[in-house]
Amino acid sequence: QVQLVESGGALVQAGGSLRLSCAASGRAFGNYAVGWFRQAPGKEREFVAAISWSGGDTYYADSVKGRFTISRDDARSMVYLQMNSLEPEDTARYYCAADYLPWTVPTNAVKYDFWGQGTQVTVSS
């Protein structure tokens, strides 16, 4: 099992940057694929980015491609989401999630077994 805690959310102006962190505790974090999802009020949770357990493969939603970068540091049991050129449409609560040794890295939230509590990102225009 793994426990996840997100941090780094804040209020930022459009065009600004933030780096979200996902701290994991538990055994064998390196065996988990990790995804970032977000949910805005009144909307469904949506996929943002994911990284394979090896770190060799990354996936992004079209809406964030070229602006967001996901990375991991298994020595520190951390996963990061660097967000640049933020837009008001990026306003949401951001969650990290983990899936144990998936055959393919999932982009569907239902595939993830472990979730953090989320961190709020608000982008003002």
Side-chain angles (χ1 to χ4, degrees):
Q1 234 178 359
V2 65
Q3 293 78 43
L4 305 171
V5 178
E6 303 92 336
S7 62
L11 170 63
V12 63
Q13 287 190 332
S17 298
L18 282 175
R19 188 177 81 157
L20 304 185
S21 299
C22 175
S25 60
R27 300 177 65 180
F29 176 66
N31 289 336
Y32 288 83
V34 177
W36 284 96
F37 293 79
R38 66 187 182 187
Q39 188 166 19
K43 295 188 176 181
E44 292 188 354
R45 190 167 296 190
E46 66 172 351
F47 170 74
V48 175
I51 188 166
S52 62
W53 58 269
S54 68
D57 297 300
T58 56
Y59 304 85
Y60 298 93
D62 288 343
S63 59
V64 307
K65 204 171 292 183
R67 300 188 297 122
F68 291 11
T69 303
I70 189 171
S71 61
R72 66 188 299 157
D73 182 346
D74 287 342
R76 299 176 184 268
S77 296
M78 297 290 293
V79 173
Y80 305 101
L81 185 67
Q82 178 67 43
M83 307 187 296
N84 299 328
S85 301
L86 283 162
E87 303 167 353
E89 292 73 23
D90 296 316
T91 295
R93 191 164 186 84
Y94 284 70
Y95 300 85
C96 67
D99 186 22
Y100 183 73
L101 283 178
W103 183 253
T104 59
V105 177
T107 60
N108 190 327
V110 300
K111 300 290 188 180
Y112 286 86
D113 299 316
F114 305 101
W115 290 83
Q117 294 301 306
T119 185
Q120 179 67 34
V121 172
T122 303
V123 184
S124 63
S125 57

